[in-house]
Amino acid sequence: VVLSPVFLKKPMIEEWMPNDPNAGYKIASASQVMFITWIFGALFWTSLADRFGRLRTTYCSAWISVCVSALTAASSSFEMFYVLRA
């Protein structure tokens, strides 16, 4: 889910933040931070592509994305989810 883990919102709140009235906003902010970091990631990967070539940087970026996505899916806390989501 690119924008927000809508179908997981309720289970995430129940497990990680059961008594927090702002839990929904915190989960939504994780998606907002992800889009903000895409700007810096694009600048970073573009400069690497210019230096090392597109194919190498594409493979490297894909592997990093797969690893971070797997770690995000296995998050044990909201803080870990938030950091990995960014």
Side-chain angles (χ1 to χ4, degrees):
V1 177
V2 174
L3 296 176
S4 182
V6 175
F7 63 95
L8 291 174
K9 187 175 182 180
K10 187 175 180 179
M12 290 168 70
I13 290 172
E14 289 173 356
E15 184 172 338
W16 290 337
M17 303 171 267
N19 298 323
D20 190 352
N22 296 321
Y25 296 114
K26 289 180 181 179
I27 291 174
S29 72
S31 295
Q32 292 171 352
V33 168
M34 179 185 72
F35 284 113
I36 292 169
T37 57
W38 277 4
I39 296 167
F40 300 109
L43 296 172
F44 173 75
W45 288 108
T46 303
S47 65
L48 284 181
D50 290 342
R51 181 180 234 173
F52 298 110
R54 290 182 185 160
L55 189 61
R56 287 183 190 170
T57 53
T58 300
Y59 285 151
C60 183
S61 172
W63 276 108
I64 290 172
S65 294
V66 167
C67 294
V68 170
S69 295
L71 289 171
T72 302
S75 296
S76 59
S77 68
F78 176 72
E79 290 78 13
M80 182 178 177
F81 174 80
Y82 194 89
V83 168
L84 291 171
R85 183 81 177 193

